[in-house]
Amino acid sequence: MISQADFGERLKSFRKTKNFTQKEVAFRIGVSEQAVSKWENGECLPDVYNLKLLGKVLQTSVDTLLDTENDRPEKVIEVIKIGGAEFEIIEKPETILAGKIIYAKDYENIGSFNQAIDMVSEEEKQTAFGSLKEIVLPVTDIHMSVNFWLEKDRRAYGYVWEVGTKDQPQGIDVYKVPASLYIRAYTNKGNAQLIAKEECEIWELFAYIRDFFMPAHGFGMADNGAQELEVFDSFEHKNGYAYMPVIRL
C-alpha cells in the first residue's frame, strides 16, 4: 500500500540528490511548480503518466518512487480448504484506522448503541474520510467491530479507512490495530455454501469462523487489541473479506 506522505518524502529526497529545484522538475515534466509541491507535501499523488516522467527525470524506476519493493503486505502462511470454501491464515502488520467510531460506553444500553451505528449517514462518513491525513492507498472501506465478543460496555463500531498516522484532524476517531494473526475469508460462493447460502455478506462469515472453523482447527480469539474487520472491495459493499483476529491454541 502507498502512503502519500511517504511518497512525497521519497520524491523530495530523489530531487535533492539530483540538485533539482521543484521548479526545474516541474519544467522538465510539463506541470506546475505547485503540482510538484503538492506531491512532495503528501497532498496527492501524480498520475501514471507523470510518475513515468518523474522516473525518467530522476533516473529511477516507478517502483522505487512508489517503494513497492518495501511494501509490508499481509503474509499468507497457511490456506485451509473445506470443500469449495477457502480460509487463509495471515500475518497482518500493524495498521492505523481512522474515521467515525461509535463507542457503546457512550449509550445507555446496547439497543441505543446499535441504533447509533445504523444512524451514521453516508454524508457523515464521507465528511470524515474527506478530512483524513496520509490516506493509505488503495482506499478500502472498512467496518470494524471492536470487542463484539466481550461485554457490551467494551464494544465499539467504526466506519474507517487505513491511514499512515495517528495525527488526524479534530473530530476524527483513530484506532491503532496491532500486528496480529488473522483468519481471512472472502464472500464467494464456496464460503457462502458453508452457511447454506448462494451468496453472503461479510458479517455472516464471522459466526461460522468463530463457532465452527476456529474450534475445529485449533484457534482462539486474539486478546491483543486486534479486531474483526469487514474489508470491502466494491463500492456497493456487496463483496469483500472477513478478518477474524486469532491465536493458535
Side-chain angles (χ1 to χ4, degrees), residues 46-233:
D47 60 25
V48 174
Y49 179 71
N50 284 324
L51 272 173
K52 290 181 178 180
L53 292 178
L54 283 169
K56 288 183 178 181
V57 169
L58 300 174
Q59 297 181 337
T60 189
S61 69
V62 171
D63 281 343
T64 300
L65 277 175
L66 295 175
D67 199 29
T68 54
E69 296 97 335
N70 295 318
D71 274 354
R72 296 191 304 154
E74 298 163 355
K75 181 180 179 182
V76 178
I77 60 176
E78 186 179 357
V79 178
I80 299 175
K81 296 184 178 181
I82 304 173
E86 185 172 287
F87 296 85
E88 296 172 310
I89 313 305
I90 68 168
E91 293 176 345
K92 184 175 175 62
E94 178 183 277
T95 55
I96 302 171
L97 303 178
K100 178 70 174 178
I101 303 176
I102 300 95
Y103 289 89
K105 62 181 177 59
D106 296 328
Y107 297 87
E108 293 183 0
N109 52 58
I110 199 67
S112 56
F113 166 61
N114 290 333
Q115 186 178 30
I117 293 173
D118 293 336
M119 290 183 66
V120 177
S121 68
E122 191 62 31
E123 183 179 358
E124 287 180 272
K125 298 175 194 175
Q126 295 308 318
T127 297
F129 296 152
S131 64
L132 297 183
K133 295 167 56 179
E134 293 191 27
I135 298 168
V136 173
L137 303 177
V139 172
T140 50
D141 288 334
I142 301 171
H143 292 181
M144 176 178 62
S145 301
V146 179
N147 295 334
F148 264 54
W149 59 90
L150 300 177
E151 57 269 25
K152 65 179 183 297
D153 62 345
R154 296 180 61 182
R155 295 181 187 179
Y157 193 86
Y159 300 99
V160 292
W161 284 359
E162 185 177 347
V163 294
T165 178
K166 294 189 295 182
D167 180 21
Q168 296 294 327
Q170 186 174 3
I172 295 297
D173 301 307
V174 176
Y175 192 94
K176 188 175 182 179
V177 182
S180 186
L181 193 69
Y182 278 82
I183 295 171
R184 181 173 68 186
Y186 190 69
T187 53
N188 55 25
K189 185 175 181 179
N191 288 338
Q193 288 178 342
L194 291 176
I195 56 176
K197 288 191 170 185
E198 286 294 313
E199 298 179 350
C200 69
E201 297 186 51
I202 297 176
W203 63 268
E204 294 179 286
L205 292 173
F206 287 142
Y208 179 87
I209 293 172
R210 186 187 299 115
D211 296 340
F212 299 99
F213 182 88
M214 288 168 55
H217 296 278
F219 292 98
M221 291 301 301
D223 58 0
N224 61 353
Q227 303 297 339
E228 294 174 332
L229 305 173
E230 298 175 74
V231 181
F232 297 95
D233 64 359

Side-chain angles (χ1 to χ4, degrees), residues 8-22:
E9 288 299 319
R10 284 194 298 277
L11 177 58
K12 184 186 298 183
S13 175
F14 277 107
R15 175 177 62 77
K16 289 185 174 181
T17 297
K18 294 294 182 182
N19 293 316
F20 291 155
T21 64
Q22 289 183 345

